[in-house]
Amino acid sequence: MALHTRDGGLVMPNAWDGLSALMLADAGFEAIATSSAALATTLGRPDGRHEVTRDEHLEHARLLGRLTGLPVNGDFEDGYGDTPEDVAATVEAAVESGLAGIGIEDTSGNPDQPIRDFDEAVNRIRSAVDAAKGRIVVTGRTDNFIQGRPDLDDTIRRLTAFAEAGADVLHAPYPPDLDALVAIVTAVAPTPVNVLISPADKVLSVAELQKAGVKRISVGPALYTHAMEALQQAIKALVAGDLTTATTGISFERISDLLARGAN
């Protein structure tokens, strides 16, 4: 929690495999996170539909932590289970796996009713906090805005209740604008707020987000999709017969050096 409460907070980028984690560690980041969306995509599955298992995500998170030695926050969707007891079991497993943080969403995995009822969502966060016993940072997250429910009042109501249930950090991806973000930060203070990149209307700088009171900045699958765009451009060049453009990238010497550091 010390990284969240210091002046400026932290930028916590999301890795999707061993090499990306090592590159982030080499760049000097102090903590990293998994991305449920990026992990699911690497496995050829959709995100948020209970198609990645708890054990698969735990194994992935352990790999990132083992290679880098950094604190790892697990982006663990809805906590991988139907009941608050299931969420508690996931938190306990995350603690046993050495994770430093875990995020629990109010999503359901049901596209017809993607957001859980208020009381159920709060009870699941409370169960996560009770299981954590202060051993792991618990982030309470509402996905209202990215699930077609642009209700700022309900978002603040949920985040406030998550804080009252003991969540250490709060998160509502993609509030509509900076004013909405400031309203969230103000309403839940002093509990730290995580922002996924920026408000929906405009990508801000780290300094601008910090000025707004944000304490943690994550990027979700954005680094992964950035890398996939580079791959898409290389594929286009290969199709066009341009081998030089298609095969220009990080050297294997650099990769080997990073992997050697991870092995040590």
Side-chain angles (χ1 to χ4, degrees):
M1 276 302 295
L3 295 177
H4 297 78
T5 56
R6 69 183 182 183
D7 289 344
L10 76 155
V11 176
M12 185 182 68
N14 305 68
W16 63 92
D17 63 5
L19 184 59
S20 62
L22 286 165
M23 292 176 73
L24 292 169
D26 187 64
F29 288 102
E30 299 169 277
I32 58 175
T34 66
S35 162
S36 66
L39 172 59
T41 302
T42 64
L43 296 172
R45 306 173 200 168
D47 180 38
R49 293 291 180 265
H50 298 157
E51 293 201 19
V52 176
T53 68
R54 177 175 66 193
D55 287 346
E56 286 175 319
H57 202 152
L58 285 167
E59 182 179 0
H60 171 67
R62 285 193 296 266
L63 170 68
L64 305 188
R66 184 171 68 250
L67 287 174
T68 65
L70 293 178
V72 175
N73 183 81
D75 178 27
F76 271 40
E77 301 188 32
D78 67 347
Y80 295 113
D82 292 332
T83 69
E85 291 75 20
D86 292 330
V87 176
T90 296
V91 171
E92 184 63 41
V95 171
E96 292 174 357
S97 295
L99 272 69
I102 186 169
I104 305 294
E105 307 166 4
D106 59 0
T107 54
S108 68
N110 177 3
D112 295 326
Q113 190 175 358
I115 300 295
R116 295 179 187 271
D117 291 341
F118 176 84
D119 289 340
E120 181 185 11
V122 174
N123 285 337
R124 291 167 71 86
I125 295 298
R126 184 176 294 110
S127 183
V129 170
D130 289 345
K133 297 182 177 68
R135 298 171 294 167
I136 189 171
V137 174
V138 175
T139 297
R141 167 173 159 171
T142 177
D143 276 12
N144 268 348
F145 296 126
I146 60 176
Q147 293 292 346
R149 292 166 49 116
D151 188 334
L152 179 60
D153 289 341
D154 183 64
T155 296
I156 289 175
R157 178 180 177 230
R158 285 172 179 260
L159 294 178
T160 301
F162 295 166
E164 291 172 351
D168 302 297
V169 181
L170 302 170
H171 185 19
Y174 297 124
D177 51 39
L178 182 59
D179 287 344
L181 173 59
V182 171
I184 289 169
V185 170
T186 302
V188 303
T191 306
V193 171
N194 180 90
V195 165
L196 177 60
I197 304 174
S198 276
D201 66 332
K202 182 181 180 181
V203 177
L204 305 176
S205 68
V206 168
E208 288 172 322
L209 290 170
Q210 290 172 335
K211 184 177 179 181
V214 170
K215 284 297 188 180
R216 191 175 80 195
I217 301 166
S218 59
V219 296
L223 294 180
Y224 173 72
T225 58
H226 183 87
M228 291 303 101
E229 174 59 24
L231 175 59
Q232 183 64 56
Q233 295 306 313
I235 291 170
K236 289 180 179 179
L238 185 59
V239 169
D242 181 358
L243 287 171
T244 300
T245 300
T247 59
T248 299
I250 186 173
S251 71
F252 236 89
E253 181 180 6
R254 168 71 169 149
I255 292 173
S256 298
D257 178 61
L258 287 167
L259 292 175
R261 296 185 201 182
N264 292 327

